[in-house]
Amino acid sequence: MRGTLVYQGRKGAARLLVGMALVVAATSSLWGEGPSGGDVIAKRQRVMKSNGYNVEDIKDKQKAGKIEDIEVNALNIALNAGQIPSLFPQGSLAEKTRAKPEIWRNWQDFVARARELEVQAEALEKLAEAGNKGGVATQLPKVEAACQGCHDRYRTPE
Amino acid sequence: MPRGLTATASPFLILAAAPWLALPGVAAAQAAPTDLVAKGQYVFAVAGGCGCHTLRPDGPLNAGGRKYTGPFGVVYSTNITADRETGIGAWTDQQIVDAMRKGVRPNGERLLPIMPYPIFAGMAEEDMRALVAYLRTLPPVKKTNPPRQIKIPLFESVFLPAWLKVYTSPAEPPKAAPASGLERGRYLVESVAHCGECHTPRGITMAVDRSRYLAGTEEGPEGAVVPNITPDRKTGIGKWSEEDIAGFLKTGRKLNGDNVQGLMEEVIKGSPVGYKDLTDGDRLAIAAYLKTVPAIHNPIKR
């Protein structure tokens, strides 16, 4: 049968090895480090750091009166927030993480809070796009409060 | 709690209060004028609500029992409520002042300078007396805390006095608490809020390293990671404006939008009063002073 002939002989062995290598490469992100591995923890810490840099940038732009330029920062925060649930796979606890096991005991609440951040950041995005200085000033604390709402419940102190 | 508190002494109140406060035992029986108590509550707030004296998360306020472990052994913070048996309710005013400035209990036992008495020695007399008056109003809590366990021989008689002599210089109190400006900020930071006790790294001897004042440490109290709050732009808070710093002391919200947690959260929220209860002027004075300390490059790994 043709399927059997494909992997016969030296050429066949080579095809098999190449095929296996391609499968490994394609799926390594799924099983390479595992759900509790360091990669996902490092990635989510970078996402949170990105949020922090964006908030600092927003405040600089507020002081400079560059309200419309804040749109990109709010967009970044909203996109980061959308990723949050996927960055906390079950059991991704390690010594270097401040995530608390309560995340997975209260998964629906955790996801809802990530969504809240996304919603508030999207609202900030619209206000910034419109150049609404007062609106941005009122909305930014709501974004920060959304961050805190999750931190207070699901993150350990430093 | 009372609003609009100031820390400026009223000469009349001090003169009226001073004679009977100086008499041993009298203050334990009589209630201090309420203005003095309100001022004392404010000083308590500047001191971070004396957070070391409340066991978290659920311990009764100010009833002590917080555990501190070091090369010396283990000590537990004192119950500073007005309970007469297990707190300081039966202490005289002078005995409370001696504990705060000299680190000596009424029974002669010496305190470890985890209780930063060399720092509080620099608190102005008016603030100290007001603080004592406020401490007398703390709801009494009957709570006996574990005794300390010191593992160094001759600790109180030899080791501790020698350590204090070599590594501390008890501060001198000003004639009056500065009322405003950089001097006010310096006074609050160094003699009341005692920021350096947590934010300055310590050497192997456990003494603070003044050459790296406020530069943060990864081995802070209770294992906390404590930030660099010098004006270094890369590793400290140099990018923060004075308003950012003052706002943080009120809300716990950092420049990057993150909320502080842990020990700093405790002293901002207080027990029950803390940094959040300071006046705008005092928080700005603290911020202004922090902008003047040497910028130290000291990255703190989180």
Side-chain angles (χ1 to χ4, degrees):
Chain A
M1 294 174 69
R2 178 161 175 76
T4 308
L5 289 171
V6 169
Y7 296 111
Q8 280 189 333
R10 287 185 187 172
K11 283 189 182 174
R15 286 193 196 107
L16 186 58
L17 283 172
V18 168
M20 285 172 65
L22 285 172
V23 169
V24 166
T27 60
S28 62
S29 64
L30 298 177
W31 60 263
E33 290 278 343
S36 58
D39 278 354
V40 72
I41 293 174
K43 185 168 182 190
R44 69 195 187 209
Q45 288 175 344
R46 285 168 61 80
V47 164
M48 299 303 173
K49 201 171 178 183
S50 164
N51 283 343
Y53 284 143
N54 276 289
V55 170
E56 286 189 34
D57 211 23
I58 288 171
K59 292 179 180 175
D60 280 343
K61 289 174 179 175
Q62 281 182 297
K63 288 173 189 169
K66 297 179 179 176
I67 304 304
E68 289 175 15
D69 292 354
I70 289 170
E71 182 188 352
V72 63
N73 302 108
L75 168 66
N76 287 340
I77 295 172
L79 290 174
N80 285 343
Q83 291 188 65
I84 286 174
S86 69
L87 292 170
F88 286 82
Q90 175 75 41
S92 57
L93 289 171
E95 193 178 316
K96 64 176 177 177
T97 184
R98 291 171 63 188
K100 293 168 80 168
E102 281 80 353
I103 290 172
W104 296 281
R105 292 184 206 131
N106 304 297
W107 182 250
Q108 295 306 319
D109 181 70
F110 177 74
V111 171
R113 290 184 186 280
R115 177 65 187 141
E116 172 68 7
L117 175 59
E118 192 175 1
V119 165
Q120 296 299 341
E122 285 170 347
L124 181 66
E125 192 186 332
K126 290 188 174 59
L127 289 164
E129 185 187 16
N132 186 335
K133 184 177 178 183
V136 164
T138 303
Q139 184 60 24
L140 180 60
K142 294 181 185 176
V143 173
E144 293 173 320
C147 297
Q148 182 167 354
C150 199
H151 295 161
D152 281 349
R153 288 160 183 79
Y154 300 120
R155 185 182 71 172
T156 63
E158 290 183 283
Chain B
M1 64 203 68
R3 299 279 182 190
L5 299 177
T6 70
T8 304
S10 162
F12 174 77
L13 282 173
I14 297 302
L15 286 172
W20 58 267
L21 280 176
L23 296 174
V26 172
Q30 296 185 11
T34 52
D35 283 354
L36 192 65
V37 169
K39 180 183 166 73
Q41 184 184 49
Y42 189 81
V43 175
F44 190 81
V46 179
C50 299
C52 293
H53 290 273
T54 296
L55 186 59
R56 300 290 177 179
D58 302 321
L61 287 180
N62 305 305
R66 204 147 174 173
K67 184 178 178 181
Y68 295 95
T69 305
F72 47 83
V74 181
V75 295
Y76 298 86
S77 58
T78 302
N79 179 342
I80 57 170
T81 72
D83 186 73
R84 292 185 66 83
E85 289 175 38
T86 62
I88 59 173
W91 296 20
T92 65
D93 284 2
Q94 191 57 49
Q95 286 169 337
I96 296 174
V97 172
D98 285 346
M100 289 207 61
R101 288 200 194 279
K102 299 177 186 172
V104 180
R105 291 177 179 272
N107 64 0
E109 185 181 78
R110 301 197 70 153
L111 299 170
L112 271 73
I114 295 173
M115 165 64 183
Y117 48 88
I119 301 292
F120 290 147
M123 196 184 295
E125 188 65 19
E126 66 202 69
D127 285 346
M128 181 64 76
R129 293 295 182 182
L131 180 59
V132 170
Y134 174 69
L135 289 175
R136 298 233 176 264
T137 70
L138 292 178
V141 174
K142 196 165 295 299
K143 181 175 185 286
T144 301
N145 294 309
R148 63 186 184 179
Q149 300 140 42
I150 301 295
K151 55 187 184 186
I152 297 178
L154 302 177
F155 183 77
E156 271 197 60
S157 56
V158 176
F159 183 87
L160 181 56
W163 190 94
L164 290 169
K165 186 89 174 157
V166 173
Y167 294 115
T168 66
S169 304
E172 285 294 322
K175 287 196 171 68
S180 62
L182 272 182
E183 278 310 302
R184 175 85 180 154
R186 183 199 313 271
Y187 169 73
L188 294 178
V189 169
E190 296 196 357
S191 300
V192 189
H194 59 287
C195 310
E197 290 297 292
C198 288
H199 283 274
T200 302
R202 293 174 187 266
I204 195 167
T205 60
M206 301 297 291
V208 293
D209 179 0
R210 284 289 305 197
S211 71
R212 293 191 293 159
Y213 184 52
L214 302 180
T217 173
E218 292 163 25
E219 298 173 342
E222 301 179 353
V225 174
V226 184
N228 178 344
I229 57 170
T230 74
D232 186 72
R233 284 187 67 82
K234 187 91 174 144
T235 64
I237 56 172
K239 292 183 198 171
W240 296 38
S241 67
E242 290 180 18
E243 288 73 21
D244 293 330
I245 298 170
F248 168 77
L249 291 172
K250 187 177 179 70
T251 66
R253 195 64 59 75
K254 302 179 195 177
L255 180 64
N256 67 358
D258 194 6
N259 60 298
V260 75
Q261 290 175 272
L263 298 178
M264 192 64 189
E265 181 188 11
E266 287 181 35
V267 295
I268 289 175
K269 287 184 176 171
S271 320
V273 293
Y275 297 162
K276 72 181 192 306
D277 300 295
L278 270 59
T279 61
D280 292 345
D282 274 352
R283 285 184 281 105
L284 284 167
I286 288 171
Y289 174 65
L290 289 178
K291 284 293 193 182
T292 68
V293 303
I296 310 259
H297 182 84
N298 186 33
I300 301 295
K301 293 191 186 64
R302 294 164 187 277

